[in-house]
């Protein structure tokens, strides 16, 4: 099982993302999660996906995904599993076919952050409340 911790880092100009094993809190290195991230500007403009990743490994039975404040989305390009759109947590059965793992994508969906930045022109990422900047 996995918990993904995505942190919006306003002072570095980007996003810092770490993945931890649920229960042991052991960090999962890039060998276990292949991540791609974009950016969100102070105006709320997105370039790329704020965070999209897939897991790699051997014989992953099930994975629990969760975030605290925003939402995540699970897509299965093989169309063999249920998809979970814009939820805070869910569990996915992966199965033994490791060739499918690349097609099981998880996206972080920071709609509340984007809405705050686009609706309030004086808002900046650095001025957002802590719960909006950490997830």
């Amino acid at each position: 099982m996995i918990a993904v911790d995505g942190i919006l880092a306003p002072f570095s100009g980007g996003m810092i993302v770490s993945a931890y094993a649920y229960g042991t809190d052991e960090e999962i290195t890039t060998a276990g999660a292949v991540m791609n991230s974009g950016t969100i500007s102070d105006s709320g403009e997105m370039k790329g996906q704020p965070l999209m990743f897939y897991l790699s490994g051997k014989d992953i039975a099930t994975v629990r995904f969760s975030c605290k404040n925003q939402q995540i989305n699970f897509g299965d390009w093989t169309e063999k599993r249920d998809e979970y759109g814009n939820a805070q947590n869910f569990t996915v059965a992966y199965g033994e076919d490791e060739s499918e793992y690349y097609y099981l994508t998880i996206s972080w969906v920071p709609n509340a952050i984007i809405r705050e930045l686009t609706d309030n022109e004086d808002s900046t990422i650095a001025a957002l409340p802590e719960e909006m900047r950490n997830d």
Side-chain angles (χ1 to χ4, degrees):
M1 299 207 311
I2 273 185
V4 174
D5 185 21
I7 302 171
L8 201 55
F11 301 110
S12 68
M15 185 179 305
I16 300 168
V17 178
S18 300
Y20 296 91
Y22 180 79
T24 65
D25 292 333
E26 182 179 339
E27 185 170 3
I28 297 171
T29 65
T30 56
V34 181
M35 298 184 202
N36 181 25
S37 63
T39 61
I40 302 173
S41 71
D42 281 339
S43 68
E45 177 186 10
M46 283 191 335
K47 291 187 179 178
Q49 270 306 104
L51 170 65
M52 178 181 274
F53 66 96
Y54 67 91
L55 301 177
S56 62
K58 295 182 185 273
D59 195 19
I60 300 172
T62 60
V63 179
R64 171 115 176 114
F65 296 100
S66 66
C67 63
K68 294 177 184 177
N69 301 306
Q70 302 296 318
Q71 295 180 324
I72 47 181
N73 182 304
F74 171 77
D76 177 7
W77 293 88
T78 69
E79 299 181 347
K80 294 180 181 178
R81 295 159 189 81
D82 290 336
E83 295 195 3
Y84 300 90
N86 297 354
Q88 284 194 306
N89 58 69
F90 47 81
T91 301
V92 177
Y94 268 57
E96 296 176 3
D97 189 352
E98 298 162 17
S99 68
E100 293 182 354
Y101 298 173
Y102 173 82
Y103 301 101
L104 308 178
T105 59
I106 300 87
S107 301
W108 181 57
V109 184
N111 287 335
I113 292 171
I114 295 166
R115 190 171 33 256
E116 175 64 27
L117 294 171
T118 57
D119 290 353
N120 301 302
E121 68 180 48
D122 294 334
S123 287
T124 64
I125 292 172
L128 292 174
E130 183 73 19
E131 66 271 5
M132 289 185 86
R133 290 183 290 134
N134 292 298
D135 204 2

